Amino acid sequence: MDILKFFTAGSVDDGKSTLIGRLLYDTNSILADQLEALQASNRKNDDGTIDLAILTDGLRAEREQGITIDVAYKYFQTEKRKFIIADTPGHIQYTRNMVTGASTAKLAIILIDARKGVVEQTVRHSYLVSLLGVSELAVCINKMDMVDYSETVFREITEAYEALAAKLNLNKVNFIPVSALKGDNIVHRSVHMPWYDGSSLLYFLENVEVTGHLPSVYARMPVQWVIRPQTEDLHDYRGYAGRILSGTFKKGDAVTVMPSGQQSVIDRIEVFDKEPEQALTGMSVTLHLKDQVDISRGDVLVSSARLTQQTRNIAADLCWMDQKQLDNSLTYLLQHNSKITKCKIADIQYKVDINTMNKESADTFHLNDIGRVELKTADELAFDWYDENPANGAAILIDSRTNLTVAALMFREAV
Amino acid sequence: MQAQKLDYLDELEAEAIHILREVAGQFEKPALLFSGGKDSITLVRLAEKAFRPGKFPFPLVHIDTGHNFEETIIYRDQMVERLGEKLIVGYVQDAIDQGKVLEQKGKNASRNALQTVTLLDTIAEHGFDACIGGARRDEEKARAKERIFSVRDEFGQWDPKRQRPELWNIYNGRIQKGENVRVFPISNWTELDVWNYIRREKMDLPSIYFAHQRDCITRNGQLMAASPYLNMDEEDLIVSRKVRFRTVGDMSCTAAVASDADQIDDIIAEISASKISERGARLDDKVSEAAMEDRKKGGYF
């Protein structure tokens, strides 16, 4: 059994929380005491049934205002898969939360209100899916019960969306007509839409293939920690501990330490008391090299068959996440996996109006702004382009005055 | 192309080890909060996987309410000896003796809330800048929104509205002097995942997790272990029941469940079929809908 992380984009009005509540409820993932707390709550639907949206609104302010402010993580599982949902708010003022939820997701669910069709926020959410490179997309056309389960309405919306998807290079799009409120096509196939011959949302989630694994030449492992017991019997023990970002390392593979460029060969791979022949993407391991090389935290071990990029000047897409606007006279800190270095924003190429996707010139970025910048870092970074290997192509910016994470960065091209 | 995928337990384990190693790499003086419960026992196992054959780059810290299950303390001491790692104990009794906190009164009195003061004192005394804890997001809805690296101000408070965005697998642990970070490596695990992991790893647990005969009373519809720490009166009828505990906290606030499950397979079968979520057995969460959120804001785990 594997894990699928997905995120949901949509606003409360689209029934996003209801959809998640429905998934949890219909897969028996809500337990009795949670249900009891739900029933005791004053929030009910118009027909007196339980308001499933309450399940995802965790903070007091959210319950008071009836909105989702922050990313909430929810868990459920079926016989086939474990699911982790990043439930993110959909309004434009929470763009940063959506970017956060999308950053770890392999699949996105976009909700469209069947009565409204493709609207401004649909464009925005789809743009973010494309920007973050989320590989699979399920477009749920919700509230089908409000349009008499009309096939015509569904067809019109899918056509409009396909035009948008083409512009954004979104190629794996699946359309599902649903009613989260009534439960149509969420877990169970709907009896109200005989014209729809696709699967329910849950069936789709259970069966969709999302590996995201890259060939072994993309083997990359940032060193997090050097294990050196320095005891009598383990005097020469020197293990490089980290998690495999992408690709596969095998015993005997030629590796290069980036950015120093030193070369060696994998001598053995340790996972606690086991010594596997290979280290797969996602595994946390300890690597041993044949040669004595100088390696410390923040260095990246990479396959010598394909080295990373190595530069101090990078054009990157940026999403600004702080209340304080970007000040390009400041030096920020850039964190790329386990490596931290100083960074300046050398230039702003453009800002994107994410409702229309038009590029505009800009002097700064405010909260939730997205655009392209040119970075100049103090140290060389060992990275890949985000399009090729997202796991090694992203970073965050930190304001050294407040220590807050102020921006998400995706490395796009050389300057 | 490689099609091999990690099994879900391997993936959760790898994520947790990555987080523990980030703590080691980013902080000067981290600590692992150890309660004797299954979640912190799991953390210890993960720390072994992250750092052996080296030493842990942090001590274990136990905040002792004084109202412990004896079995937990025996387990703790044996484990520390086996590991050869350092244990620091902060005593809630000390805070009570110093008059820093007042013992609660009445039938539902518990020392659970008093732990916060001792925890903050212990953090200050040793200068810990990061405290690793075993909280999970599936436990409770305020926890569902907490970051894996969760920054607390100098009063130990959590501010849900000022949380840092946590992107990809990049953890920002930078803090100002006086602040500290609570780190939750098993945030993405569910109760069932923890049990399946314990079974897979063949880990030992304190015996109270398994069904055993015990004197209990019924309080607010739940079974509580009869103990000197529980304020009982003549109306409380003591009956011997076969029970086990799903969480291990202070004796005065952790309810038992009637169960015959004395083997791990039976426990897993029981949890899979259970209709009561784990924190339903914690009276401390039942105070109000925002009980956990409020305690976290005040500096709780």
Side-chain angles (χ1 to χ4, degrees):
Chain A
M1 187 160 68
D2 64 346
I3 300 179
L4 176 66
K5 284 191 188 176
F6 65 91
F7 90 102
T8 49
S11 61
V12 169
D13 319 325
D14 304 322
K16 175 183 54 90
S17 295
T18 309
L19 179 124
I20 293 172
R22 174 62 66 184
L23 271 177
L24 299 172
Y25 191 81
D26 284 0
T27 54
N28 293 320
S29 309
I30 300 173
L31 299 168
D33 60 331
Q34 293 171 323
L35 205 54
E36 191 187 300
L38 258 182
Q39 275 157 343
S41 161
N42 293 323
R43 268 170 63 186
K44 292 270 159 62
N45 292 321
D46 295 340
D47 61 0
T49 53
I50 306 164
D51 180 358
L52 294 171
I54 305 174
L55 284 169
T56 56
D57 298 340
L59 303 172
R60 192 191 291 261
E62 292 177 328
R63 285 191 295 279
E64 282 166 6
Q65 297 169 38
I67 54 164
T68 316
I69 294 170
D70 208 333
V71 185
Y73 295 91
K74 289 281 157 191
Y75 305 82
F76 72 103
Q77 76 181 72
T78 65
E79 300 275 303
K80 288 214 164 144
R81 252 189 182 148
K82 265 187 73 73
F83 297 97
I84 301 179
I85 314 173
D87 176 18
T88 63
H91 291 113
I92 190 153
Q93 67 266 39
Y94 303 117
T95 297
R96 64 168 175 169
N97 307 78
M98 265 199 351
V99 169
T100 302
S103 73
T104 53
K106 290 270 187 276
L107 181 146
I109 294 179
I110 286 187
L111 274 163
I112 295 178
D113 186 330
R115 296 168 306 175
K116 297 178 187 160
V118 174
V119 293
E120 194 175 82
Q121 80 160 14
T122 317
V123 177
R124 194 169 73 236
H125 296 163
S126 305
Y127 173 73
L128 294 177
V129 167
S130 153
L131 182 79
L132 273 291
V134 181
S135 53
E136 286 287 337
L137 176 59
V139 176
C140 289
I141 293 148
N142 191 25
K143 306 199 181 179
M144 288 300 292
D145 56 308
M146 312 277 269
V147 295
D148 297 324
Y149 298 105
S150 158
E151 181 179 7
T152 314
V153 170
F154 177 72
R155 296 285 162 224
E156 280 167 7
I157 294 173
T158 53
E159 259 170 52
Y161 193 88
E162 271 164 354
L164 173 67
K167 263 199 259 179
L168 288 167
N169 292 320
L170 295 168
N171 35 34
K172 290 187 194 162
V173 187
N174 303 272
F175 297 98
I176 307 174
V178 305
S179 165
L181 190 68
K182 308 284 182 194
D184 294 284
N185 284 336
I186 303 292
V187 169
H188 309 291
R189 285 286 307 272
S190 170
V191 294
H192 299 112
M193 293 175 271
W195 46 264
Y196 172 70
D197 56 7
S199 58
S200 70
L201 175 63
L202 182 69
Y203 184 90
F204 171 72
L205 293 173
E206 281 182 318
N207 293 285
V208 63
E209 273 300 323
V210 274
T211 61
H213 284 299
L214 293 170
S216 61
V217 291
Y218 274 106
R220 273 105 180 81
M221 189 193 85
V223 175
Q224 295 181 270
W225 183 251
V226 181
I227 299 178
R228 290 190 65 194
Q230 292 176 299
T231 54
E232 216 154 277
D233 46 331
L234 291 167
H235 194 262
D236 294 325
Y237 184 102
R238 215 182 156 86
Y240 304 105
R243 191 175 188 196
I244 312 299
L245 277 182
S246 56
T248 308
F249 286 102
K250 283 197 236 13
K251 244 165 99 166
D253 279 357
V255 293
T256 302
V257 185
M258 303 288 283
S260 73
Q262 301 166 88
Q263 303 200 10
S264 188
V265 169
I266 305 239
D267 186 34
R268 75 198 159 89
I269 300 167
E270 255 187 308
V271 180
F272 190 48
D273 53 359
K274 296 187 182 70
E275 289 202 9
E277 289 295 310
Q278 52 179 359
L280 306 175
T281 303
M283 283 170 67
S284 279
V285 300
T286 304
L287 298 182
H288 294 263
L289 303 184
K290 283 237 160 71
D291 312 278
Q292 282 274 5
V293 279
D294 179 23
I295 300 178
S296 49
R297 178 178 160 81
D299 290 341
V300 190
L301 290 172
V302 315
S303 164
S304 296
R306 187 183 185 126
L307 301 183
T308 59
Q309 303 295 322
Q310 187 175 8
T311 172
R312 295 171 52 217
N313 300 290
I314 308 166
D317 282 333
L318 171 152
C319 173
W320 196 255
M321 303 195 154
D322 197 30
Q323 300 287 349
K324 272 200 196 96
Q325 70 191 67
L326 164 72
D327 177 350
N328 45 11
S329 69
L330 278 180
T331 299
Y332 289 93
L333 295 168
L334 181 150
Q335 186 174 349
H336 172 239
N337 298 315
S338 297
K339 167 84 180 177
I340 291 189
T341 180
K342 288 181 180 172
C343 175
K344 275 186 170 287
I345 309 296
D347 190 28
I348 296 175
Q349 290 187 354
Y350 56 80
K351 195 174 108 174
V352 177
D353 177 336
I354 59 171
N355 289 326
T356 59
M357 297 183 295
N358 292 330
K359 292 171 185 171
E360 306 161 351
S361 66
D363 304 325
T364 184
F365 285 93
H366 295 94
L367 181 63
N368 296 315
D369 282 350
I370 289 175
R372 186 158 294 184
V373 295
E374 289 172 19
L375 307 168
K376 188 179 179 70
T377 60
D379 299 338
E380 282 189 332
L381 291 178
F383 67 93
D384 295 300
W385 299 120
Y386 190 82
D387 300 336
E388 287 174 31
N389 186 9
N392 196 34
I396 58 171
L397 272 192
I398 298 167
D399 184 331
S400 57
R401 299 167 299 178
T402 60
N403 290 324
L404 294 175
T405 301
V406 295
L409 296 169
M410 286 145 283
F411 302 143
R412 297 296 186 189
E413 59 187 20
V415 175
Chain B
M1 292 289 275
Q2 171 204 122
Q4 285 156 301
K5 270 181 282 184
L6 297 190
D7 175 68
Y8 77 102
L9 283 180
D10 290 327
E11 185 170 339
L12 292 172
E13 178 189 67
E15 179 185 63
I17 293 171
H18 175 249
I19 293 161
L20 287 170
R21 287 168 170 170
E22 280 304 289
V23 173
Q26 291 193 32
F27 295 92
E28 297 290 324
K29 260 206 121 183
L32 189 153
L33 300 177
F34 182 81
S35 69
K38 67 180 190 315
D39 297 316
S40 58
I41 291 168
T42 299
L43 284 182
V44 168
R45 176 69 176 177
L46 292 163
E48 287 187 89
K49 294 209 171 191
F51 303 111
R52 289 291 185 246
K55 283 275 210 194
F56 291 1
F58 39 69
L60 307 181
V61 171
H62 181 213
I63 302 304
D64 184 341
T65 63
H67 290 178
N68 304 296
F69 289 94
E70 195 190 353
E71 296 88 337
T72 320
I73 299 299
I74 294 170
Y75 180 95
R76 178 194 76 188
D77 293 341
Q78 286 173 349
M79 187 195 76
V80 167
E81 193 172 325
R82 172 180 69 79
L83 291 170
E85 299 287 348
K86 187 175 173 192
L87 173 73
I88 293 169
V89 184
Y91 295 96
V92 171
Q93 189 64 50
D94 289 352
I96 295 170
D97 294 346
Q98 291 159 11
K100 286 185 172 174
V101 292
L102 285 178
E103 190 102 62
Q104 292 181 356
K105 297 207 165 45
K107 270 203 154 189
N108 294 319
S110 154
R111 284 186 169 181
N112 185 61
L114 309 186
Q115 289 180 94
T116 301
V117 172
T118 307
L119 173 66
L120 298 180
D121 282 353
T122 310
I123 289 171
E125 186 190 336
H126 296 272
F128 294 130
D129 50 4
C131 294
I132 301 159
R136 307 187 320 268
R137 286 175 176 152
D138 80 317
E139 284 180 86
E140 206 278 333
K141 57 193 167 194
R143 283 192 167 161
K145 305 223 162 176
E146 190 164 13
R147 302 293 182 261
I148 290 173
F149 272 40
S150 181
V151 179
R152 304 302 174 94
D153 66 13
E154 58 182 317
F155 300 100
Q157 300 178 105
W158 179 54
D159 182 352
K161 285 190 175 165
R162 289 194 70 244
Q163 297 200 90
R164 297 174 182 176
E166 205 156 68
L167 294 133
W168 295 286
N169 297 310
I170 304 173
Y171 302 102
N172 171 8
R174 297 184 71 88
I175 47 171
Q176 317 276 357
K177 195 133 192 76
E179 294 177 335
N180 74 85
V181 178
R182 306 288 167 84
V183 180
F184 305 113
I186 59 168
S187 285
N188 285 326
W189 299 40
T190 63
E191 182 189 19
L192 195 56
D193 296 335
V194 172
W195 279 104
N196 279 317
Y197 188 71
I198 289 167
R199 174 165 66 181
R200 189 185 84 168
E201 298 290 311
K202 301 186 174 63
M203 287 154 56
D204 282 333
L205 289 182
S207 56
I208 57 168
Y209 277 110
F210 301 94
H212 57 284
Q213 209 67 37
R214 183 181 284 269
D215 285 347
C216 296
I217 63 161
T218 303
R219 182 67 57 85
N220 304 328
Q222 295 191 297
L223 283 172
M224 303 293 292
S227 79
Y229 313 128
L230 206 58
N231 290 338
M232 297 190 289
D233 58 32
E234 312 81 60
E235 286 174 22
D236 291 311
L237 186 65
I238 297 179
V239 278
S240 176
R241 299 285 300 270
K242 193 158 191 195
V243 296
R244 64 179 187 84
F245 293 86
R246 286 181 77 179
T247 68
V248 171
D250 185 299
M251 272 193 99
S252 56
C253 76
T254 308
V257 288
S259 169
D260 286 320
D262 52 7
Q263 302 294 324
I264 193 155
D265 289 347
D266 302 332
I267 291 174
I268 288 172
E270 206 176 88
I271 293 166
S272 306
S274 173
K275 286 287 159 205
I276 304 270
S277 82
E278 185 183 12
R279 290 206 81 87
R282 292 290 280 261
L283 303 185
D284 38 328
D285 287 342
K286 294 225 161 166
V287 184
S288 78
E289 205 178 1
M292 176 65 89
E293 183 180 341
D294 291 343
R295 276 182 300 150
K296 273 184 165 308
K297 283 178 178 168
Y300 189 74
F301 300 117

